[in-house]
């Protein structure tokens, strides 16, 4: 048995794959300690995993504004000191970083104390933290077809996004029943990633009447800081009712993804991996201000694989027509579902665990991995 330290907080997209890997490691008889941030989204997401061990670390996103930059450096220093203490106490077999500001302190501390460092990049354009830390890593997992310059080939493995084990497709009627959704028509999920998307929330408010007239109900995950729980009903002439549900955060992603006929979403790597796992067709509007435009790269690659339709944010005025055309086009929805099933054939978790076990075994005093 080995202990692994996993730095994965800051956004849902960084935290969820850390949870997925920790679940796999614990299932394989190891210990996992997850380093998360103090942000609300982390606190909310970890509530559903009381069986896992989480340690909160200082840290905040990078800013070039003078005060923001000073704060970033101060928080990194505090995070580094906490990481040194934690590593000395837990003596992990390896440190795994999922990118973002939270990976920096612990990765540097681990490297300086002589521990193996492993990094995982979820996006098709590697983020600043992963680019900066890649030279310290013994192993770096990148999405298929993505490269990072000047890394020795033995360091790189291509790997998908680890998805939490409870995220799996349920029959649509079961999912709707579990969520207490009683609409008879189509259901559209609107989902702006772990922090919500103001532009998508606004689109729902402005376009719900038109969608409702087509008997399309909406389940909108607004984000924790962008609204409160609520429901709006729209009675149709034939007596049927279409509803718009507004929910700030959801702990039951498998159910909402299975209940929906179609999702309108941002292009976070985690969102895309979960649409694939739950075989849910989507229309994706990449967040235009994401670092290095990585959401557009994620979305375009997914579209090339036949998993989604991309609408640029500047064309959001065409989104309502696009949704109505797509959600009633059974041929297109079935084609997308077939493509999603094809993309869902492999899980990266078991190969990552075997790889981490062999990295652990190369360290003196660590157990050798068992042969299959
Ligand atoms: C604006 C920005 O830069 N966003 C980035 C951030 O996205 P973001 O944090 O939005 O992440 P993703 O879309 O990758 O994943 C969101 C995760 O949060 C979970 N979730 C979300 C809402 C909710 O109510 N309940 C819930 O459980 C989802 O199930 C999923 O597991 O990290 C991702 C991974 O590096 C990047 O690809 C995104 O580009």
């Amino acid at each position: 048995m080995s202990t692994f330290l996993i730095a994965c907080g800051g956004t849902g997209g960084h935290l969820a794959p850390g949870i997925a890997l920790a679940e796999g490691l614990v299932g394989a008889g190891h210990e996992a300690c997850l380093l998360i941030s103090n942000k609300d989204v982390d606190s909310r997401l970890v509530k559903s995993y009381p069986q896992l061990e989480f340690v909160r670390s200082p840290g905040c996103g990078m800013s070039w504004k003078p005060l923001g930059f000073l704060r970033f450096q101060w928080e990194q220093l505090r995070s580094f000191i906490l990481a040194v203490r934690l590593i000395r106490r837990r003596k992990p077999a390896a440190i795994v970083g999922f990118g973002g500001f939270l990976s920096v302190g612990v990765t540097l501390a681990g490297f300086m104390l002589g521990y193996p460092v492993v990094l995982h990049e979820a996006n098709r354009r590697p983020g600043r933290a992963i680019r900066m830390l890649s030279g310290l890593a013994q192993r770096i997992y990148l999405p298929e077809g993505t490269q990072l310059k000047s890394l020795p080939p033995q360091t790189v493995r291509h790997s998908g996004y680890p998805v939490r084990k409870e995220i799996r497709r349920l029959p649509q009627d079961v999912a709707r029943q579990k969520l207490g959704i009683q609409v008879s028509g189509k259901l559209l999920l609107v989902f702006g990633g772990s922090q919500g998307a103001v532009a998508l929330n606004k689109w729902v408010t402005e376009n719900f009447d038109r969608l409702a007239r087509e008997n399309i109900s909406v389940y909108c995950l607004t984000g924790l800081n962008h609204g409160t729980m609520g429901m709006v009903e729209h009675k149709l002439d034939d007596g049927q009712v279409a509803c718009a549900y507004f929910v700030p955060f959801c702990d039951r992603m498998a159910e909402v993804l299975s209940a929906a006929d179609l999702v309108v979403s941002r292009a976070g790597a985690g969102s895309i991996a979960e649409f694939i796992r739950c075989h849910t067709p989507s229309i994706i509007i990449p967040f235009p201000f994401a670092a290095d435009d990585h959401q557009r790269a994620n979305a375009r690659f997914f579209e090339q694989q036949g998993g989604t339709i991309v609408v640029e944010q500047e064309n959001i005025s065409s989104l309502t027509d696009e949704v109505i055309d797509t959600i009633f086009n059974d041929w297109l929805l079935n084609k997308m579902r077939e493509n999603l099933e094809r993309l869902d054939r492999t899980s990266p978790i078991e190969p990552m665990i075997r790889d981490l076990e062999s990295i652990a075994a190369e360290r003196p005093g660590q157990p050798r991995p068992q042969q299959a």
Side-chain angles (χ1 to χ4, degrees):
M1 187 193 78
S2 302
T3 300
F4 294 89
L5 198 56
I6 302 175
C8 57
T11 71
H14 293 102
L15 179 48
I19 291 173
L21 179 63
E23 287 175 323
L25 285 167
V26 170
H30 300 289
E31 277 185 11
C33 172
L34 294 101
L35 219 59
I36 61 167
S37 80
N38 290 308
K39 287 174 70 175
D40 291 349
V41 63
D42 286 13
S43 306
R44 184 58 207 260
L45 197 55
V46 303
K47 268 192 189 164
S48 310
Y49 304 92
Q51 73 281 19
L52 295 176
E53 181 191 354
F54 297 97
V55 173
R56 275 168 215 285
S57 166
C60 64
M62 160 77 172
S63 162
W64 287 113
K65 292 184 185 150
L67 267 182
F69 189 63
L70 271 180
R71 178 161 175 246
F72 171 75
Q73 297 219 323
W74 171 240
E75 295 284 301
Q76 284 302 333
L77 179 66
R78 293 177 60 213
S79 157
F80 177 82
I81 293 168
L82 177 130
V84 168
R85 290 195 184 129
L86 191 62
I87 292 168
R88 287 207 168 124
R89 198 170 70 239
R90 301 297 296 266
K91 300 189 175 30
I95 288 137
V96 186
F98 278 89
F101 62 84
L102 210 80
S103 298
V104 180
V106 65
T107 304
L108 284 173
F111 180 77
M112 286 165 75
L113 293 170
Y115 286 82
V117 166
V118 173
L119 298 173
H120 182 282
E121 172 59 62
N123 298 297
R124 302 204 61 78
R125 299 225 171 103
R128 196 188 288 132
I130 296 284
R131 293 198 307 267
M132 195 178 94
L133 298 167
S134 60
L136 313 182
Q138 179 162 338
R139 175 78 69 241
I140 173 158
Y141 300 105
L142 296 174
E144 203 61 55
T146 307
Q147 302 295 337
L148 251 185
K149 279 191 208 124
S150 67
L151 282 181
Q154 67 273 19
T155 304
V156 177
R157 295 273 186 286
H158 290 287
S159 166
Y161 184 100
V163 172
R164 292 168 288 160
K165 71 175 178 235
E166 82 267 17
I167 310 274
R168 64 196 159 79
R169 176 142 200 99
L170 304 170
Q172 190 179 62
D173 53 338
V174 174
R176 287 191 183 187
Q177 208 177 12
K178 284 186 166 204
L179 288 169
I181 292 178
Q182 284 162 349
V183 296
S184 55
K186 299 283 185 183
L187 183 68
L188 176 74
L189 170 63
V190 177
F191 172 51
S194 62
Q195 342 231 3
V198 174
L200 300 188
N201 297 344
K202 185 165 170 264
W203 173 80
V204 173
T205 317
E206 290 174 356
N207 292 276
F208 174 58
D209 275 352
R210 187 161 164 228
L211 295 170
R213 283 199 294 277
E214 305 286 340
N215 203 1
I216 300 173
S217 291
V218 179
Y219 198 95
C220 179
L221 294 178
T222 59
L224 283 172
N225 303 318
H226 304 302
T228 49
M229 196 97 156
M231 203 249 276
V232 177
E233 279 187 355
H234 181 112
K235 288 213 168 61
L236 301 167
D237 295 341
D238 61 3
Q240 297 195 71
V241 177
C243 298
Y245 303 88
F246 294 91
V247 178
F249 194 84
C250 170
D251 301 306
R252 302 156 78 180
M253 287 306 298
E255 288 165 22
V256 285
L257 286 170
S258 303
D261 296 286
L262 181 69
V263 189
V264 163
S265 140
R266 289 300 194 199
S271 302
I272 291 175
E274 291 173 7
F275 303 160
I276 292 175
R277 177 57 45 83
C278 294
H279 310 159
T280 312
S282 56
I283 295 178
I284 285 185
I285 297 108
F287 178 53
F289 307 108
D292 302 312
D293 213 3
H294 70 259
Q295 285 217 353
R296 191 172 279 137
N298 292 348
R300 288 290 172 202
F301 183 76
F302 189 34
E303 187 179 50
Q304 280 160 18
Q305 295 173 309
T308 193
I309 295 164
V310 178
V311 171
E312 295 295 342
Q313 175 134 335
E314 67 207 39
N315 299 328
I316 202 162
S317 56
S318 67
L319 183 59
T320 311
D321 288 337
E322 193 72 61
V323 164
I324 294 169
D325 286 351
T326 308
I327 209 163
F328 292 109
N329 185 336
D330 287 336
W331 180 87
L332 182 57
L333 292 182
N334 283 334
K335 195 75 211 150
M336 269 201 257
R337 280 191 208 106
E338 270 172 32
N339 293 337
L340 294 166
E341 277 177 47
R342 176 176 46 78
L343 295 170
D344 185 31
R345 292 269 153 83
T346 53
S347 162
I349 297 179
E350 286 71 30
M352 277 180 81
I353 291 174
R354 281 198 298 277
D355 194 32
L356 287 172
E357 286 172 337
S358 57
I359 289 172
E362 284 164 20
R363 280 176 60 74
Q366 295 288 335
R368 299 228 136 256
Q370 289 178 348
Q371 297 299 317

